[in-house]
Amino acid sequence: MSNSNTTDFTNPSVFILLGISGLEAAHVWISIPFCATYIVAILGNVTILFIVKREPSLHGPMYYLLCMLAITDLGLCNSILPKSLSIFWFNSREIYFNACLAQIYLINCFAVMESGIFVAMAFDRYVAICEPLRHSTILTNRVVAKIGLTVALRGSMIVLPYLLLAQQWPYCRTNIIAHSYCKHISVVSLACADIRVSSYYSLTVTVFVTGLDVFFISVSYSQILRAIFSLRSKDARLKTFGTCSSHLCAILICYIPDVFSTVMHRFGSNVPLYVLILFATVCLVVPPMLHPIIYGMRTKKIRESLLWIFTHNRP
């Protein structure tokens, strides 16, 4: 393993990930909640996919979009945690340059895709509540498939400049990354060049892509809330709002921590580095764990299907 700190080199073949810089002695203990998070995220999202595939009554737009979210969450977890856990457990800090770039691409691609899926889910709830008679004609399986393809292409194309720009910079200062994974800004900041293009593009994606997604979600839910409050019966209002509660919870646990993490990284100069690293990692790996729990608890059909599987497969 390379121990070089500031050796003169150009474009190293290997980077060194420090893990949670400043808390190296506690890596084994830190690994326990991260490992538990990883296991729950994998089992939860695979269970969602299995239940939707197995139960014909769940073959509809809302559940197909939920499957897309589960696949995205699985991709996000698998892009981060295996390498982070290998650092915590085996002190395996080396990561090849191309593997590091691939990790940057996959993490950001899945994050943008997830944001797009939330917009699609908000649109689905809008049509289901505000245009219930037209829901089956507007959101057909073909339309949902096109939405999924659009979300995947959008994420792939928007994040591609991250990879192309990071690949072209000369890295001649150090190959040590003070993080538990290849975070985009942590990697490009090691370049001995003017990286303002990378920094500005990253900020633009964060502000405009996420900002537009939040705007469209807000517009959808403003119309949804207007329709809900126009209902005369309190029970009807509560029941209708209940169909949106799981989606709202998923949005909140995704966007709010991400905004705090972005602000802390860009303006939290007095915040300890290990806090920034821990918070950034938690923001990426905890939502994929919570999403299947939220939808499993709050969605009646999924809850009933899961209960049926457990009660009918006992010996």
Side-chain angles (χ1 to χ4, degrees):
M1 181 181 295
S2 172
N3 292 317
S4 173
N5 229 352
T6 55
T7 317
D8 290 332
F9 53 82
T10 302
N11 293 343
S13 59
V14 173
F15 280 124
I16 309 298
L17 291 165
L18 294 183
I20 311 298
S21 185
L23 295 178
E24 288 85 355
H27 272 179
V28 173
W29 296 107
I30 293 172
S31 72
I32 295 173
F34 279 114
C35 181
T37 298
Y38 187 41
I39 292 171
V40 173
I42 296 296
L43 291 177
N45 285 291
V46 168
T47 300
I48 292 290
L49 293 171
F50 173 75
I51 289 174
V52 174
K53 182 179 185 300
R54 185 181 184 281
E55 181 55 56
S57 65
L58 300 181
H59 293 177
M62 174 182 171
Y63 301 101
Y64 287 145
L65 291 171
L66 182 55
C67 286
M68 293 179 197
L69 181 64
I71 292 170
T72 304
D73 283 340
L74 287 171
L76 195 56
C77 280
N78 284 307
S79 299
I80 300 170
L81 283 172
K83 182 58 186 176
S84 296
L85 290 174
S86 72
I87 296 171
F88 299 151
W89 288 340
F90 310 114
N91 203 34
S92 176
R93 301 170 183 266
E94 294 184 350
I95 183 169
Y96 287 108
F97 179 75
N98 288 334
C100 189
L101 294 181
Q103 190 178 48
I104 290 173
Y105 180 78
L106 290 173
I107 290 171
N108 288 281
C109 182
F110 285 125
V112 173
M113 286 172 60
E114 186 168 89
S115 184
I117 291 169
F118 281 133
V119 176
M121 295 174 84
F123 177 67
D124 169 70
R125 290 299 83 202
Y126 163 76
V127 176
I129 293 172
C130 299
E131 300 286 346
L133 299 179
R134 300 176 58 200
H135 184 263
S136 60
T137 56
I138 294 175
L139 281 170
T140 62
N141 289 342
R142 183 185 293 272
V143 170
V144 173
K146 288 180 179 179
I147 289 173
L149 181 60
T150 302
V151 167
L153 288 175
R154 187 188 79 144
S156 302
M157 298 305 295
I158 285 176
V159 176
L160 188 59
Y162 281 50
L163 185 66
L164 299 177
L165 289 169
Q167 193 173 30
Q168 75 169 4
W169 303 129
Y171 297 90
C172 55
R173 292 176 182 170
T174 180
N175 64 338
I176 295 179
I177 303 171
H179 218 292
S180 60
Y181 62 90
C182 289
K183 186 176 177 66
H184 173 253
I185 198 65
S186 298
V187 174
V188 298
S189 63
L190 302 180
C192 50
D194 186 353
I195 61 162
R196 283 181 294 181
V197 175
S198 283
S199 181
Y200 291 157
Y201 184 76
S202 174
L203 184 61
T204 300
V205 170
T206 301
V207 172
F208 286 98
V209 174
T210 306
L212 281 174
D213 287 350
V214 171
F215 171 76
F216 288 130
I217 291 171
S218 300
V219 170
S220 294
Y221 270 95
S222 67
Q223 298 301 312
I224 289 170
L225 291 174
R226 181 181 297 177
I228 289 174
F229 287 121
S230 68
L231 297 173
R232 295 182 179 182
S233 168
K234 181 180 179 181
D235 290 338
R237 289 197 296 268
L238 290 174
K239 184 178 179 180
T240 305
F241 185 77
T243 64
C244 303
S245 59
S246 55
H247 184 227
L248 282 172
C249 290
I251 289 172
L252 292 175
I253 66 171
C254 178
Y255 286 116
I256 292 178
D258 187 52
V259 169
F260 275 110
S261 179
T262 301
V263 171
M264 286 171 63
H265 268 86
R266 293 201 173 263
F267 307 107
S269 56
N270 296 324
V271 180
L273 181 58
Y274 65 85
V275 174
L276 295 176
I277 296 171
L278 275 172
F279 197 74
T281 308
V282 166
C283 285
L284 289 174
V285 301
V286 170
M289 176 194 71
L290 293 179
H291 290 158
I293 296 174
I294 291 170
Y295 283 102
M297 292 176 61
R298 299 294 302 174
T299 307
K300 184 179 178 181
K301 285 188 177 181
I302 291 179
R303 191 168 61 246
E304 290 176 346
S305 297
L306 188 60
L307 183 63
W308 188 92
I309 290 172
F310 280 117
T311 56
H312 285 73
N313 283 281
R314 290 180 178 177

